[in-house]
Amino acid sequence: MFNVVIPAAGLGTRMRPLSRSLSKTLIPLNGKPILGWILDNFHSWKCYNDISEIVIVANESGDISRFIDTYSDLDIRKKIKVVSQRLDFNGPGGAILSGVSELTHPEEGLLIWLSDTISQTDFSSYIEKGVPFIATAKVPVETSSRWCICVGDQLFQFLNKPSPDFFSGTNTLDALIGVYYMPSLAGTSAFSFSEYQEYKNAELELNISYMLTNYRIDKQLPFQIVDDTEQWCDTGELDSFYKTKAKLLTLGCRAQSTLREEDGVIYKTGNTDNAREKIAKEKQWYLERKGFQKL
C-alpha cells in the first residue's frame, strides 16, 4: 500500500492571466482541469487499489475542495483528502511536509506528484518493485535554470535550477519532472517538519531536491531513474502549457490531421485532400458565426 501527496497550494504566478481567478492546477486543459488529468490517470493504474490515500495540499481559496466534490459519485473520492499548507514553511517542500503530516498511515509508501505535471504513464510496475524512483525527462540545456537537474550515476546529485553555464558539450539534461516515489519513510526524518526547523518562518524555500537528498543519505539507497520524456507533459508555465494542449489534442486526433503549437497558437493541418477540404469548411462555418456564437 502507498499514499499520494499532491502539493497544489501555489498561486501560479507564472501562469497568469490563466490563474488569476483560480488555483493553477484547476486551469482547464482541453476541457478538463489539470488536476482532473492527474486523478483520472491514477484511477487507470494497475495498482490503483493499493493507493490508501491521496492528500492534496491546497491554498485557502477553497476552489480545489469544490472541484473534488464533483468526484462525489466516483470511487476515487473516498481516497482523497484536501488539506491546507502550513504557512510557516515556504516552498513546495513545505507543502509536501504539510501533506505527509496529514497522512492516516504515514508508515506506508509515499508517491509525490506535483500538481502541474501530467503523464500518461502507469508507474505501477516501478512501485511494485519496492525501490525508490524518480521520473525524469530530457530537456534542452538552455532551459536548465527552470528545473532541478539530475547529474551523475546512481549516487547522483541534484542541482536546483542551475545556470546553463554549468554545462558544456551536451544538448540535453535530465530534469526532475515532479514524480517521486519512496517505498517507506521508516528510518528517516527527511519528510518531517522537525528536520527543517531552520526553514520555519523564514523567507527560504524548502526545495524537494534537498529533501530527496536527505532521504537517500538516511536510507543509504540509490534512486532508480525512470525516463518519462515521451509521456510527460508540463503545465507549469504558459509556453509549456500550450505545448501540452497540442500534445494531448494530438493523442485524440485522427490520422488525417496533425496539430502543432507555435508561440501559444495551435495549428491544425490536414494530411489528405479530404482532410484539408474539411478544415476549410470548418473555418468557413466559424467565420459565419455571429457575436457570442464565436466566443
Side-chain angles (χ1 to χ4, degrees):
M1 303 297 290
F2 67 100
N3 300 296
V4 181
V5 170
I6 304 175
L11 297 178
T13 55
R14 289 179 297 174
M15 289 295 289
R16 290 176 179 170
L18 300 182
S19 60
R20 284 197 182 278
S21 60
L22 76 172
S23 296
K24 179 175 70 170
T25 194
L26 296 185
I27 294 173
L29 177 61
N30 300 351
K32 179 163 54 176
I34 296 167
L35 182 58
W37 286 92
I38 296 171
L39 296 176
D40 291 351
N41 188 45
F42 289 157
H43 197 272
S44 68
W45 282 12
K46 178 183 175 183
C47 68
Y48 166 74
N49 289 331
D50 293 330
I51 299 176
S52 294
E53 199 167 33
I54 300 173
V55 175
I56 302 172
V57 184
N59 54 45
E60 297 178 346
S61 68
D63 56 359
I64 290 178
S65 292
R66 291 191 293 273
F67 170 69
I68 294 303
D69 287 342
T70 67
Y71 280 73
S72 58
D73 295 332
L74 301 179
D75 175 72
I76 194 172
R77 179 65 184 90
K78 302 173 186 176
K79 298 177 181 284
I80 298 174
K81 180 195 297 184
V82 180
V83 303
S84 296
Q85 179 172 356
R86 277 184 53 174
L87 299 180
D88 50 350
F89 285 84
N90 293 323
I96 291 170
L97 294 183
S98 297
V100 172
S101 69
E102 295 285 348
L103 291 173
T104 305
H105 300 286
E107 73 279 1
E108 297 177 344
L110 173 64
L111 175 69
I112 299 169
W113 193 289
L114 298 194
S115 63
D116 56 9
T117 292
I118 294 176
S119 174
Q120 303 299 303
T121 299
D122 181 349
F123 288 98
S124 295
S125 61
Y126 299 101
I127 292 173
E128 290 168 353
K129 291 178 182 178
V131 297
F133 74 82
I134 293 172
T136 64
K138 301 292 184 184
V139 299
V141 66
E142 60 267 21
T143 68
S144 63
S145 58
R146 288 176 54 175
W147 314 103
C148 181
I149 301 297
C150 171
V151 296
D153 53 20
Q154 285 191 330
L155 298 177
F156 53 77
Q157 291 180 310
F158 299 116
L159 302 179
N160 192 50
K161 299 182 178 180
S163 167
D165 297 336
F166 288 179
F167 309 97
S168 61
T170 183
N171 294 322
T172 61
L173 299 169
D174 293 319
L176 277 61
I177 63 172
V179 178
Y180 322 96
Y181 177 72
M182 281 69 53
S184 171
L185 298 186
T188 178
S189 58
F191 291 91
S192 169
F193 282 117
S194 60
E195 180 75 10
Y196 305 104
Q197 288 303 304
E198 69 271 25
Y199 287 88
K200 187 174 183 180
N201 298 317
E203 294 296 325
L204 296 173
E205 283 198 353
L206 178 55
N207 293 314
I208 301 173
S209 58
Y210 184 35
M211 300 165 66
L212 295 174
T213 299
N214 288 343
Y215 177 87
R216 188 194 68 197
I217 293 172
D218 288 349
K219 302 289 283 187
Q220 297 186 335
L221 284 173
F223 281 100
Q224 179 179 357
I225 300 300
V226 179
D227 187 344
D228 198 41
T229 303
E230 294 301 317
Q231 296 293 330
W232 167 59
C233 294
D234 174 45
T235 64
E237 298 194 6
L238 285 173
D239 61 342
S240 59
F241 174 80
Y242 286 114
K243 285 182 172 65
T244 294
K245 284 178 69 71
K247 183 175 181 178
L248 294 178
L249 283 169
T250 299
L251 291 176
C253 190
R254 291 173 293 180
Q256 60 264 36
S257 297
T258 299
L259 294 167
R260 66 181 176 85
E261 181 274 343
E262 184 176 319
D263 297 328
V265 178
I266 296 175
Y267 295 86
K268 183 178 181 182
T269 305
N271 299 329
T272 65
D273 290 340
N274 287 340
R276 284 187 283 272
E277 181 180 351
K278 183 173 183 292
I279 291 174
K281 290 180 179 179
E282 290 173 350
K283 178 181 177 181
Q284 185 59 38
W285 177 88
Y286 169 75
L287 292 175
E288 293 172 355
R289 298 309 96 193
K290 306 296 182 182
F292 285 113
Q293 288 183 331
K294 278 195 174 183
L295 294 178

